[in-house]
Amino acid sequence: DLCAAIAAILLALPLAAQTGAAPARSAAASAPAVVSRYKPQKSVMGTIQEAIKALENNECETVVVDFFNPIQRAKFKDLQANRDKYKCAPQNRASTDEMLLAFKLARQARVEYRGVAAFISLEGAGLSMQKLTLVKYLDGRWYFNFETTK
């Protein structure tokens, strides 16, 4: 199930700092984050290709935050904290590699469109991620719908 797979991958990514104390606020900490050159595209395959490039360049946080359905992303209380939380780390390379492999396999699969959603089955590939779901937003770009199960 995609939802469970994405949740597992996201939870496996490290917290940027695990000191237990709240980070000190400074002018630098409150400055805007560096903007990634990788962005969702106006085609499903374009978005998947950009996500692959981001992961290959160790920008896990870009995929998890910037490629995330904007409606769901708006629910994040602190976007920068989420960006920091999901940075790629060597100890979690296996989770990142599985997501990368899923995206690469998805390029070869058939996309099924229903309304503003696109579905790509990864069944039979042996991955924990069984399908990808993307949503076309008002800007005409396709975003991943990383819903978690409750």
Side-chain angles (χ1 to χ4, degrees):
D1 170 72
L2 171 68
C3 298
I6 292 295
I9 290 169
L10 297 180
L11 292 174
L13 295 173
L15 293 174
Q18 295 185 350
T19 61
R25 291 280 180 196
S26 67
S30 61
V34 174
V35 177
S36 174
R37 64 182 164 205
Y38 308 107
K39 303 284 181 215
Q41 299 295 303
K42 292 195 174 191
S43 71
V44 168
M45 288 300 159
T47 292
I48 290 170
Q49 188 59 39
E50 285 294 292
I52 289 169
K53 290 178 190 175
L55 289 175
E56 287 176 338
N57 286 288
N58 293 316
E59 290 192 29
C60 298
E61 69 280 7
T62 296
V63 174
V64 173
V65 176
D66 297 344
F67 284 69
F68 192 54
N69 176 344
I71 295 168
Q72 294 170 325
R73 185 176 51 213
K75 297 175 186 174
F76 291 163
K77 290 183 185 353
D78 185 344
L79 198 57
Q80 187 57 42
N82 275 299
R83 190 174 301 285
D84 293 342
K85 181 178 180 180
Y86 295 116
K87 289 190 182 284
C88 292
Q91 66 267 28
N92 295 313
R93 192 69 219 175
S95 296
T96 303
D97 286 346
E98 181 164 331
M99 185 182 288
L100 184 58
L101 179 58
F103 290 164
K104 286 181 176 182
L105 288 171
R107 291 185 302 191
Q108 302 173 40
R110 182 178 60 84
V111 180
E112 179 185 336
Y113 295 93
R114 279 189 258 145
V116 296
F119 305 90
I120 300 172
S121 174
L122 298 172
E123 290 180 35
L127 300 171
S128 59
M129 191 180 303
Q130 295 294 301
K131 72 176 179 177
L132 291 176
T133 303
L134 292 93
V135 176
K136 188 172 187 178
Y137 193 60
L138 297 174
D139 62 1
R141 298 178 189 274
W142 289 89
Y143 295 85
F144 293 104
N145 205 24
F146 296 141
E147 288 189 36
T148 56
T149 55
K150 294 184 177 155

